[in-house]
Amino acid sequence: MNRRRLLATGARLAVASGVAALAGCADPAEPSGPLTPPRSPEATAGAGEGLVVTDFADVEGDDGDLLVRVTVENRGAERRTGTVIVTASVTVEGEESEETVSEEVTVASGERTEVTVATSLSFDRFSRNGSMRVEIV
């Protein structure tokens, strides 16, 4: 008789625990993944005909500043020159700092090149709470 009561109680506890977990009563897991949101994998075309930004990455410079490595591809039929524009912002203690920097790039037809754009923003602060926009004109 006690065995039946024990099994029935165990089954009720298991059901109640499952319902509680599904209802959000359990502690949520700590978030994981990158600190900055993922970038769109699609290339971004600019006003410079044929030039597109195919990739970019934020890296730390030797002095701790934020550097942005940008890969530019020329999909046009002739050599093109454009300007890579990086707008980066960091929010620290509720105060936002934004910086826009640019670098000129020339790419032969059908080729790719990488350009590094330097900012004066702290890489450490950017990696904790920053965002950026990269475009080519």
Side-chain angles (χ1 to χ4, degrees), residues 18 50-51 64 67-68 92 103-104 107-108 111 114 121 135:
L51 295 178
L67 302 177
V68 183
V92 178
E103 187 76 30
E104 190 172 284
V107 186
E111 298 291 320
E114 186 177 274
L121 298 174
E135 59 187 332

Side-chain angles (χ1 to χ4, degrees), residues 19-97:
V19 169
L22 291 174
C25 296
D27 289 334
E30 288 295 318
S32 63
L35 295 174
T36 56
R39 299 183 308 272
S40 170
E42 298 175 20
T44 55
E49 183 181 310
L51 295 178
V52 293
V53 173
T54 58
D55 192 25
F56 62 91
D58 51 303
V59 294
E60 184 173 8
D62 293 336
D63 56 356
D65 287 346
L66 170 67
L67 302 177
V68 183
R69 288 200 181 124
V70 182
T71 304
V72 177
E73 181 180 336
N74 183 354
R75 296 182 180 169
E78 57 189 53
R79 183 180 191 95
R80 300 279 183 193
T81 298
T83 304
V84 174
I85 301 172
V86 175
T87 303
S89 61
V90 177
T91 303
V92 178
E93 297 175 5
E95 194 170 313
E96 185 175 344
S97 298

